[in-house]
């Protein structure tokens, strides 16, 4: 476009305008730790002055559970559009997505049948939301196996305590943050704490660690462990014919309460004795987050990409755990060589066998 200011004087502004105005939307929102893609999209919309529901049209989508559907499958054209307008990388988008997760069968379904005891698609911890500088929803809150907050030790919620409706930020037509109920406006950060016993917290944490272990390694055993976790209501004798994913968070907490005082063989025993051994180790330790983190780091060093979304195909969990065990012994051997302590060589050698 050329602007004619006076006869004979033409001011070209196109290039200068292009210099200062890019394709980027005015406000860039940085993804937070373990943030769910839909949560980031709602925050992005809000920060740029658009309520989530009309923001769906910006992406060329219809209303409904548009953002929750993107968590599961992000079409290439929308990924490209988001990268162009926000500067976010493909890797960051992928890290927020749940597409391709081996734990997908354990995700809470995207439906709302209105029954009191049925599941909702997303859970939350009110204390986590209250402590967030910018409240956001975590990927792990989508899993039916997660009923407690690992950080605060309380039970999760899956509906607004005021009007009992699900988290429905995707349907929000007003410009309010996503931690306000889209139906009644209740601030979810104010929801009271759901108390759970230490045995429930412990089993919840162990199940979470076992799921992470299976997801990191992408082992064949993950198929059977997923089936067992879906059958938790049957083992607990509570809503025995219903899969875990169909039950409300409060009902699932009751299942975990019952299972926490029983033998854990239903979860730990596998055809592979090494897998059984490691699951029992996790159970006896009451969860093993540091160990899982070390394993993920070890796999990274080996050149693999431990990802909840893209596991190595049909990896052998047993072999990976053995490899991990030898890796974790290596520093001890290096230490022994460095310090030349008589007996240390023997101790390190003993471990090797
Ligand atoms: Zn929390
Ligand atoms: Zn409400």
């Amino acid at each position: 476009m050329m602007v004619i200011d006076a006869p004979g004087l033409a001011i070209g502004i196109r290039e200068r305008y292009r210099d200062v105005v890019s394709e980027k939307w005015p406000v860039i929102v940085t993804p937070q730790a373990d943030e769910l893609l839909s949560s980031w999209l709602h925050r992005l919309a809000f920060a740029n002055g658009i309520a989530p529901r009309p923001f769906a049209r910006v992406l060329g989508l219809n209303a409904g559970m548009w953002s929750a559907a993107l968590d599961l499958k992000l079409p290439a054209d929308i990924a490209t559009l988001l990268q162009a307008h926000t500067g976010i990388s493909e890797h960051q988008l992928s890290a927020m997505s749940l597409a391709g997760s081996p734990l997908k069968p354990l995700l809470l379904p995207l439906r709302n049948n209105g029954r009191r005891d049925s599941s909702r698609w997303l859970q939350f911890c009110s204390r986590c939301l209250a402590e967030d500088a910018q409240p956001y929803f975590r990927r792990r809150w989508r899993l039916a196996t997660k009923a407690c907050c690992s950080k605060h030790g309380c039970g999760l919620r899956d509906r607004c305590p005021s009007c009992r409706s699900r988290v429905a930020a995707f349907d929000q037509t007003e410009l309010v943050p996503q931690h306000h109920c889209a139906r009644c406006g209740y601030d979810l950060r104010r929801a009271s704490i759901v108390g759970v016993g230490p045995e429930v917290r412990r089993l919840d944490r162990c199940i979470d660690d076992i799921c992470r272990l299976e997801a990191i390694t992408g082992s064949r055993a993950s198929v059977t462990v997923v089936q067992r976790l879906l059958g938790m209501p049957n083992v607990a004798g509570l809503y025995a014919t219903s899969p875990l994913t169909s039950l409300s968070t409060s009902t699932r907490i009751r299942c975990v309460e019952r299972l926490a005082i029983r033998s854990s063989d239903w979860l730990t025993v596998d055809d592979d004795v090494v897998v059984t051994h490691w699951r029992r180790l996790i159970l006896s330790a009451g969860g093993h987050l540091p160990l899982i983190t070390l394993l993920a780091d070890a796999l990274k060093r080996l050149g693999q990409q431990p990802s909840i979304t893209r596991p190595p195909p049909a990896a052998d969990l047993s072999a990976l755990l053995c490899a991990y065990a030898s890796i974790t012994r290596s520093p001890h051997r290096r230490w022994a060589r460095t310090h030349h302590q008589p007996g240390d060589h023997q101790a390190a050698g003993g471990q090797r066998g």
Side-chain angles (χ1 to χ4, degrees), residues 65-129:
M65 300 184 78
W66 63 272
S67 53
L70 292 180
D71 288 335
L72 303 177
K73 189 172 191 296
L74 182 62
D77 59 331
I78 295 181
T80 303
L81 184 149
L82 289 171
Q83 287 172 47
H85 290 297
T86 68
I88 193 168
S89 69
E90 186 182 355
H91 174 73
Q92 285 176 300
L93 280 175
S94 168
M96 289 188 285
S97 162
L98 296 165
S101 167
L103 304 179
K104 221 170 179 176
L106 297 173
L107 296 176
L108 294 159
L110 304 187
R111 58 161 171 68
N112 187 23
N113 65 13
R115 279 177 44 198
R116 276 177 61 88
D117 56 358
S118 69
S119 57
R120 299 291 184 263
W121 77 286
L122 181 60
Q123 310 172 99
F124 63 93
C125 165
S126 56
R127 292 184 66 188
C128 279
L129 293 178

Coordinates of all heavy atoms in Angstrom, one line a residue, residues 65-129:
M65 N -16.1 -29.6 22.5 CA -14.9 -29.9 23.2 C -13.7 -29.8 22.3 O -12.9 -30.7 22.2 CB -15.0 -31.3 23.9 CG -16.1 -31.4 24.9 SD -16.1 -33.0 25.7 CE -14.8 -32.8 26.9
W66 N -13.6 -28.7 21.6 CA -12.6 -28.5 20.6 C -11.2 -28.6 21.1 O -10.3 -29.3 20.4 CB -12.8 -27.1 19.8 CG -12.6 -26.0 20.7 CD1 -13.6 -25.4 21.5 CD2 -11.4 -25.2 21.0 NE1 -13.1 -24.3 22.2 CE2 -11.7 -24.2 21.9 CE3 -10.1 -25.3 20.5 CZ2 -10.8 -23.3 22.4 CZ3 -9.2 -24.4 21.0 CH2 -9.5 -23.5 21.9
S67 N -10.9 -28.0 22.2 CA -9.5 -28.0 22.7 C -9.2 -29.4 23.3 O -8.0 -29.8 23.2 CB -9.3 -26.9 23.8 OG -10.3 -27.0 24.8
A68 N -10.1 -30.0 24.0 CA -9.9 -31.3 24.6 C -9.6 -32.3 23.4 O -8.8 -33.2 23.6 CB -11.1 -31.8 25.4
A69 N -10.3 -32.2 22.3 CA -10.1 -33.0 21.2 C -8.6 -32.8 20.6 O -8.0 -33.8 20.2 CB -11.1 -32.8 20.1
L70 N -8.2 -31.6 20.6 CA -6.8 -31.3 20.1 C -5.7 -31.9 21.0 O -4.7 -32.2 20.5 CB -6.6 -29.8 20.0 CG -7.4 -29.0 19.0 CD1 -7.1 -27.5 19.0 CD2 -7.2 -29.6 17.6
D71 N -6.1 -32.1 22.3 CA -5.1 -32.8 23.2 C -4.8 -34.2 22.6 O -3.7 -34.7 22.8 CB -5.7 -33.0 24.6 CG -5.8 -31.7 25.4 OD1 -5.0 -30.8 25.1 OD2 -6.7 -31.7 26.3
L72 N -5.8 -34.8 22.0 CA -5.6 -36.2 21.6 C -5.1 -36.3 20.1 O -4.5 -37.2 19.8 CB -7.0 -36.9 21.7 CG -7.6 -37.0 23.1 CD1 -9.0 -37.6 23.0 CD2 -6.7 -37.7 24.0
K73 N -5.4 -35.3 19.3 CA -5.0 -35.3 17.9 C -4.9 -33.9 17.4 O -5.9 -33.2 17.4 CB -6.0 -36.1 17.1 CG -5.6 -36.3 15.7 CD -6.6 -37.3 15.0 CE -6.1 -37.8 13.7 NZ -5.8 -36.8 12.7
L74 N -3.7 -33.4 17.2 CA -3.5 -32.1 16.7 C -3.2 -32.1 15.2 O -2.1 -32.5 14.7 CB -2.3 -31.5 17.4 CG -1.9 -30.0 17.1 CD1 -3.1 -29.1 17.5 CD2 -0.6 -29.6 17.8
P75 N -4.2 -31.7 14.4 CA -4.0 -31.7 12.9 C -2.8 -30.8 12.5 O -2.5 -29.8 13.1 CB -5.3 -31.1 12.4 CG -6.3 -31.4 13.5 CD -5.5 -31.2 14.7
A76 N -2.1 -31.2 11.4 CA -0.9 -30.6 11.0 C -1.2 -29.1 10.7 O -0.3 -28.2 11.0 CB -0.3 -31.3 9.8
D77 N -2.3 -28.8 10.1 CA -2.6 -27.4 9.7 C -2.7 -26.5 10.9 O -2.3 -25.3 10.9 CB -3.8 -27.3 8.8 CG -5.0 -27.8 9.4 OD1 -4.9 -28.7 10.2 OD2 -6.1 -27.3 9.1
I78 N -3.3 -27.0 12.0 CA -3.5 -26.2 13.2 C -2.1 -26.1 13.9 O -1.8 -25.0 14.5 CB -4.5 -26.8 14.1 CG1 -5.9 -26.8 13.4 CG2 -4.6 -26.1 15.5 CD1 -7.0 -27.3 14.2
A79 N -1.3 -27.1 13.9 CA 0.0 -27.0 14.5 C 0.8 -26.0 13.8 O 1.5 -25.1 14.4 CB 0.7 -28.4 14.4
T80 N 0.7 -25.9 12.5 CA 1.5 -24.9 11.7 C 1.0 -23.5 12.0 O 1.8 -22.6 12.2 CB 1.3 -25.2 10.2 OG1 1.7 -26.6 9.9 CG2 2.1 -24.3 9.3
L81 N -0.3 -23.4 12.1 CA -0.9 -22.1 12.4 C -0.4 -21.6 13.8 O 0.0 -20.4 14.0 CB -2.4 -22.2 12.4 CG -3.2 -20.9 12.6 CD1 -4.5 -21.0 11.8 CD2 -3.6 -20.6 14.1
L82 N -0.4 -22.5 14.8 CA 0.0 -22.1 16.1 C 1.5 -21.8 16.2 O 1.9 -20.8 16.8 CB -0.3 -23.2 17.1 CG -1.8 -23.5 17.4 CD1 -2.0 -24.8 18.2 CD2 -2.4 -22.3 18.2
Q83 N 2.3 -22.5 15.4 CA 3.7 -22.2 15.4 C 4.0 -20.8 14.8 O 4.8 -20.1 15.3 CB 4.5 -23.3 14.6 CG 4.6 -24.6 15.3 CD 5.1 -25.7 14.4 OE1 6.1 -25.5 13.7 NE2 4.5 -26.9 14.4
A84 N 3.2 -20.5 13.7 CA 3.4 -19.2 13.0 C 3.0 -18.1 13.9 O 3.7 -17.0 13.9 CB 2.6 -19.2 11.7
H85 N 1.9 -18.2 14.6 CA 1.4 -17.1 15.4 C 1.9 -16.9 16.8 O 1.7 -15.9 17.5 CB -0.2 -17.2 15.4 CG -0.8 -16.9 14.1 ND1 -0.7 -15.7 13.5 CD2 -1.5 -17.7 13.3 CE1 -1.4 -15.8 12.3 NE2 -1.9 -17.0 12.2
T86 N 2.5 -18.0 17.3 CA 3.0 -17.9 18.7 C 4.5 -18.1 18.8 O 5.1 -17.9 19.9 CB 2.3 -19.0 19.6 OG1 2.8 -20.3 19.2 CG2 0.8 -18.9 19.5
G87 N 5.1 -18.7 17.8 CA 6.6 -19.0 17.9 C 6.9 -20.2 18.6 O 8.0 -20.6 18.8
I88 N 5.8 -21.0 19.0 CA 6.1 -22.2 19.8 C 6.6 -23.3 18.9 O 6.3 -23.3 17.7 CB 4.7 -22.7 20.5 CG1 5.0 -23.8 21.5 CG2 3.7 -23.1 19.4 CD1 3.8 -24.1 22.4
S89 N 7.5 -24.1 19.4 CA 8.1 -25.1 18.5 C 7.2 -26.4 18.4 O 6.4 -26.6 19.3 CB 9.5 -25.5 19.1 OG 9.3 -26.2 20.3
E90 N 7.5 -27.2 17.4 CA 6.8 -28.4 17.2 C 7.0 -29.3 18.4 O 6.1 -30.0 18.9 CB 7.3 -29.1 16.0 CG 6.6 -30.4 15.6 CD 7.1 -31.0 14.4 OE1 8.1 -30.5 13.7 OE2 6.6 -32.1 14.0
H91 N 8.2 -29.3 19.0 CA 8.6 -30.1 20.2 C 7.7 -29.7 21.4 O 7.2 -30.6 22.1 CB 10.0 -30.0 20.5 CG 10.4 -30.7 21.7 ND1 10.5 -32.1 21.8 CD2 10.7 -30.2 23.0 CE1 10.8 -32.4 23.1 NE2 11.0 -31.3 23.8
Q92 N 7.6 -28.4 21.6 CA 6.7 -27.9 22.7 C 5.3 -28.3 22.5 O 4.6 -28.7 23.5 CB 6.8 -26.4 22.8 CG 8.2 -25.9 23.4 CD 8.2 -24.4 23.4 OE1 8.2 -23.8 22.3 NE2 8.4 -23.8 24.6
L93 N 4.8 -28.2 21.3 CA 3.4 -28.6 21.0 C 3.2 -30.1 21.3 O 2.3 -30.6 22.0 CB 3.0 -28.4 19.6 CG 2.6 -26.9 19.2 CD1 2.4 -26.8 17.8 CD2 1.4 -26.5 20.0
S94 N 4.2 -30.9 20.8 CA 4.1 -32.4 21.0 C 4.2 -32.7 22.5 O 3.5 -33.6 23.0 CB 5.3 -33.0 20.3 OG 5.4 -34.3 20.6
A95 N 5.0 -32.0 23.3 CA 5.1 -32.3 24.7 C 3.8 -32.0 25.5 O 3.6 -32.7 26.5 CB 6.3 -31.4 25.3
M96 N 3.0 -31.1 25.0 CA 1.7 -30.8 25.7 C 0.6 -31.8 25.2 O -0.4 -31.9 25.9 CB 1.3 -29.4 25.4 CG 2.2 -28.4 26.1 SD 1.5 -26.7 25.9 CE 1.9 -26.3 24.2
S97 N 0.8 -32.4 24.1 CA -0.2 -33.3 23.5 C -0.2 -34.6 24.1 O 0.7 -35.1 24.7 CB 0.0 -33.4 22.0 OG -0.6 -34.5 21.5
L98 N -1.3 -35.3 24.0 CA -1.4 -36.7 24.5 C -1.5 -37.7 23.4 O -1.7 -38.9 23.6 CB -2.7 -36.9 25.4 CG -2.7 -36.0 26.7 CD1 -4.1 -36.0 27.3 CD2 -1.7 -36.6 27.7
A99 N -1.3 -37.2 22.2 CA -1.4 -38.1 21.0 C -0.3 -39.1 21.0 O 0.8 -38.8 21.3 CB -1.3 -37.2 19.7
G100 N -0.7 -40.4 20.8 CA 0.3 -41.4 20.7 C 0.8 -42.0 22.0 O 1.6 -42.8 22.1
S101 N 0.2 -41.5 23.1 CA 0.6 -42.0 24.4 C 0.2 -43.5 24.6 O -0.9 -43.9 24.3 CB 0.0 -41.2 25.5 OG 0.1 -41.9 26.8
P102 N 1.1 -44.3 25.1 CA 0.8 -45.7 25.3 C -0.3 -45.8 26.4 O -0.9 -46.9 26.6 CB 2.1 -46.4 25.7 CG 3.0 -45.3 26.2 CD 2.5 -44.1 25.4
L103 N -0.4 -44.8 27.2 CA -1.4 -44.8 28.3 C -2.8 -44.2 27.9 O -3.6 -44.0 28.7 CB -0.9 -44.0 29.5 CG 0.5 -44.4 30.0 CD1 0.9 -43.5 31.2 CD2 0.4 -45.8 30.5
K104 N -3.0 -44.0 26.6 CA -4.2 -43.4 26.0 C -5.5 -44.2 26.5 O -6.5 -43.5 26.9 CB -4.2 -43.4 24.5 CG -4.7 -42.2 23.9 CD -4.4 -42.1 22.4 CE -5.0 -40.9 21.8 NZ -4.6 -40.7 20.4
P105 N -5.4 -45.5 26.6 CA -6.7 -46.2 27.1 C -7.0 -45.8 28.6 O -8.1 -46.0 29.0 CB -6.3 -47.7 27.0 CG -5.2 -47.7 26.1 CD -4.4 -46.5 26.2
L106 N -6.1 -45.2 29.3 CA -6.3 -44.8 30.7 C -6.8 -43.4 30.8 O -7.1 -42.9 31.9 CB -5.1 -45.0 31.5 CG -4.6 -46.5 31.6 CD1 -3.2 -46.5 32.4 CD2 -5.6 -47.3 32.4
L107 N -6.9 -42.7 29.7 CA -7.4 -41.3 29.7 C -8.9 -41.2 30.0 O -9.6 -42.1 29.5 CB -7.1 -40.6 28.4 CG -5.6 -40.4 28.1 CD1 -5.5 -39.8 26.7 CD2 -4.9 -39.6 29.1
L108 N -9.3 -40.3 30.7 CA -10.7 -40.1 31.0 C -11.4 -39.7 29.7 O -10.9 -38.9 28.9 CB -10.9 -39.0 32.1 CG -10.4 -39.4 33.4 CD1 -10.1 -38.2 34.3 CD2 -11.3 -40.3 34.1
P109 N -12.6 -40.3 29.4 CA -13.2 -40.1 28.1 C -13.8 -38.7 28.0 O -14.2 -38.1 29.0 CB -14.3 -41.2 28.1 CG -14.6 -41.5 29.5 CD -13.3 -41.3 30.3
L110 N -13.9 -38.2 26.7 CA -14.4 -36.9 26.5 C -16.0 -37.0 26.3 O -16.5 -37.0 25.1 CB -13.8 -36.3 25.2 CG -12.3 -36.2 25.1 CD1 -11.9 -35.4 23.9 CD2 -11.8 -35.5 26.4
R111 N -16.6 -37.2 27.3 CA -18.1 -37.3 27.2 C -18.7 -36.7 28.5 O -18.0 -36.6 29.5 CB -18.6 -38.7 27.0 CG -18.1 -39.6 28.1 CD -18.9 -40.9 28.1 NE -18.4 -41.9 29.0 CZ -18.4 -41.8 30.4 NH1 -18.8 -40.7 30.9 NH2 -17.9 -42.8 31.1
N112 N -20.0 -36.5 28.5 CA -20.7 -36.0 29.7 C -22.1 -36.5 29.7 O -23.0 -36.0 29.0 CB -20.7 -34.4 29.6 CG -21.2 -33.8 30.9 OD1 -21.2 -34.5 31.9 ND2 -21.8 -32.6 30.8
N113 N -22.2 -37.7 30.4 CA -23.6 -38.3 30.4 C -24.4 -37.8 31.5 O -25.6 -38.2 31.7 CB -23.5 -39.8 30.3 CG -22.9 -40.4 31.6 OD1 -22.7 -39.6 32.6 ND2 -22.5 -41.6 31.6
G114 N -23.9 -36.9 32.4 CA -24.7 -36.3 33.4 C -24.9 -37.2 34.6 O -25.4 -36.7 35.6
R115 N -24.5 -38.4 34.6 CA -24.7 -39.3 35.8 C -23.8 -38.9 36.9 O -22.7 -38.5 36.7 CB -24.5 -40.7 35.4 CG -25.7 -41.4 34.8 CD -25.3 -42.8 34.4 NE -24.7 -43.6 35.4 CZ -24.0 -44.7 35.2 NH1 -23.9 -45.2 34.0 NH2 -23.4 -45.3 36.2
R116 N -24.3 -39.0 38.1 CA -23.6 -38.5 39.3 C -22.3 -39.3 39.5 O -21.3 -38.7 39.9 CB -24.4 -38.7 40.6 CG -25.4 -37.6 40.9 CD -26.2 -38.0 42.1 NE -25.4 -38.1 43.3 CZ -25.1 -37.1 44.1 NH1 -25.5 -35.9 43.8 NH2 -24.3 -37.4 45.2
D117 N -22.3 -40.6 39.2 CA -21.1 -41.4 39.5 C -20.2 -41.6 38.3 O -19.3 -42.4 38.4 CB -21.6 -42.8 40.1 CG -22.5 -43.5 39.1 OD1 -22.8 -42.9 38.1 OD2 -22.9 -44.6 39.4
S118 N -20.5 -40.9 37.2 CA -19.7 -41.1 36.0 C -18.5 -40.1 35.9 O -18.5 -39.1 36.6 CB -20.5 -41.0 34.8 OG -20.9 -39.7 34.6
S119 N -17.5 -40.5 35.1 CA -16.3 -39.7 35.0 C -16.5 -38.4 34.3 O -17.5 -38.3 33.5 CB -15.2 -40.6 34.3 OG -15.7 -41.0 33.1
R120 N -15.6 -37.5 34.6 CA -15.5 -36.3 33.8 C -14.2 -36.3 33.1 O -13.3 -37.0 33.5 CB -15.7 -35.0 34.7 CG -17.0 -35.0 35.4 CD -18.2 -34.7 34.5 NE -19.4 -34.6 35.2 CZ -20.3 -35.5 35.4 NH1 -20.1 -36.7 34.9 NH2 -21.4 -35.3 36.0
W121 N -14.0 -35.5 32.1 CA -12.8 -35.6 31.2 C -11.6 -35.1 31.9 O -10.5 -35.5 31.5 CB -13.0 -34.9 29.9 CG -12.9 -33.4 30.0 CD1 -13.8 -32.5 30.6 CD2 -11.8 -32.6 29.6 NE1 -13.3 -31.2 30.5 CE2 -12.1 -31.2 29.9 CE3 -10.6 -32.9 28.9 CZ2 -11.3 -30.2 29.6 CZ3 -9.7 -31.8 28.6 CH2 -10.1 -30.5 28.9
L122 N -11.7 -34.2 32.9 CA -10.5 -33.6 33.5 C -10.6 -33.4 35.0 O -11.7 -33.1 35.5 CB -10.3 -32.2 32.8 CG -9.1 -31.4 33.2 CD1 -7.8 -32.1 33.0 CD2 -9.1 -30.0 32.5
Q123 N -9.5 -33.6 35.7 CA -9.5 -33.4 37.1 C -8.6 -32.2 37.5 O -7.9 -31.7 36.6 CB -9.0 -34.7 37.8 CG -9.6 -36.0 37.3 CD -9.0 -37.2 37.8 OE1 -9.4 -37.8 38.8 NE2 -7.9 -37.6 37.2
F124 N -8.7 -31.9 38.7 CA -7.8 -30.8 39.2 C -7.6 -30.8 40.7 O -8.3 -31.5 41.4 CB -8.4 -29.4 38.8 CG -9.7 -29.1 39.5 CD1 -9.8 -28.4 40.7 CD2 -10.9 -29.5 39.0 CE1 -11.0 -28.1 41.4 CE2 -12.1 -29.2 39.6 CZ -12.2 -28.5 40.8
C125 N -6.5 -30.2 41.1 CA -6.2 -30.0 42.5 C -6.3 -28.5 42.8 O -5.6 -27.7 42.2 CB -4.8 -30.5 42.9 SG -4.1 -29.9 44.5
S126 N -7.2 -28.2 43.7 CA -7.5 -26.8 44.0 C -6.2 -26.1 44.5 O -6.0 -24.9 44.3 CB -8.7 -26.6 44.9 OG -8.5 -27.3 46.1
R127 N -5.4 -26.8 45.3 CA -4.2 -26.2 45.9 C -3.2 -25.9 44.8 O -2.5 -24.9 44.9 CB -3.7 -27.1 47.0 CG -4.6 -27.2 48.2 CD -4.0 -27.9 49.3 NE -2.8 -27.3 49.9 CZ -2.1 -27.9 50.8 NH1 -2.3 -29.1 51.2 NH2 -1.0 -27.3 51.3
C128 N -3.0 -26.8 43.9 CA -2.1 -26.6 42.8 C -2.5 -25.3 42.0 O -1.7 -24.5 41.7 CB -2.1 -27.8 41.8 SG -1.0 -29.2 42.3
L129 N -3.8 -25.2 41.7 CA -4.3 -24.1 41.0 C -4.1 -22.8 41.8 O -3.7 -21.8 41.2 CB -5.8 -24.2 40.7 CG -6.2 -25.3 39.7 CD1 -7.7 -25.4 39.5 CD2 -5.5 -25.2 38.3

